[in-house]
Amino acid sequence: MTRYADIPKPIRSGIVVVDPDTGTPQRIIVLQFNPDTLERSVSPQSAGDSGDAGGGGTGSGDRNEALRLKGPAQETWKFTAEIDATDQFDIAAPDGIHPQLATLEMLVQPTTAQLRAASRLSQKGAIEISPIEMPLTLFTWGSKRVMPVRLTELSVNESAFDVNLNPIRASLGIGMKILTVSDLPAGHRGADLYMAHLAQKERLAAAARGGSLGALGLGGGIGTATSAPIRRG
């Protein structure tokens, strides 16, 4: 007889805020429910412009650059996360899901201390104030997908409230950009984590089962062209 205790718990996806200097996790955000779907977009960073520069073409691309890349592909993720306090009756929630929402929103907000420090510099006559640097953010989707990201979109749809108008259920649209070595300075911990993420992709690609030319109808080889006979009327 199978007991509930014998059923393995699913691994949760989540976000880890890391100190870029020490690598110490500062905050771990575990998504209550894993999203049902993920939308990923991967755009290669081609060296040459799009278009055909050959005879009769209208493009302005450089034929010497057609197969060259300037750097890692730009990748974005989008998904919908759900937060529901009514699914966690064993956890006290006097503020509803305000804390969970605030934690996610602070990933795209500077702190009051950072804003006050910038204000003091401005009052002292600082000509140029550097943009506020946020902590390094990692998105994890199992052990094979751990990558540095920057949140680019956070939309919140609150759909239920308690008697004090604290939200108790919400759906969040989250968009993020994977940060690559092209986005981060040399030696940054996030750049090292991206390299580890890319190396994992390479290992997974190497484990993929290869196909055959015969399955593509190219049993005679790639350079062998066949043509149908010309019928004369």
Side-chain angles (χ1 to χ4, degrees), residues 77-200:
W77 286 44
K78 287 185 179 181
F79 58 88
T80 300
E82 306 287 341
I83 304 177
D84 192 344
T86 62
D87 194 64
Q88 298 176 315
F89 286 113
D90 56 330
I91 301 176
D95 299 317
I97 60 172
H98 269 311
Q100 294 93 320
L101 295 177
T103 299
L104 288 170
E105 290 176 38
M106 287 309 299
L107 295 177
V108 295
Q109 293 270 20
T111 64
T112 54
Q114 290 171 323
L115 290 174
R116 288 188 179 117
S119 177
R120 285 194 294 269
L121 289 174
S122 177
Q123 291 173 359
K124 290 180 180 179
I127 298 176
E128 182 177 353
I129 300 176
S130 299
I132 296 172
E133 182 174 356
M134 299 300 290
L136 175 61
T137 304
L138 307 179
F139 181 65
T140 69
W141 186 269
S143 61
K144 297 180 178 62
R145 288 173 170 173
V146 179
M147 51 222 150
V149 300
R150 180 180 69 240
L151 263 66
T152 58
E153 176 184 343
L154 179 61
S155 60
V156 183
N157 182 10
E158 300 176 2
S159 56
F161 306 86
D162 64 15
V163 294
N164 295 316
L165 291 184
N166 294 311
I168 58 175
R169 185 167 61 243
S171 173
L172 301 98
I174 298 177
M176 55 183 62
K177 178 185 183 299
I178 310 301
L179 297 179
T180 73
V181 292
S182 299
D183 303 308
L184 298 164
H188 194 281
R189 189 173 298 272
D192 294 337
L193 289 166
Y194 173 76
M195 292 296 286
H197 169 63
L198 187 60
Q200 178 71 293

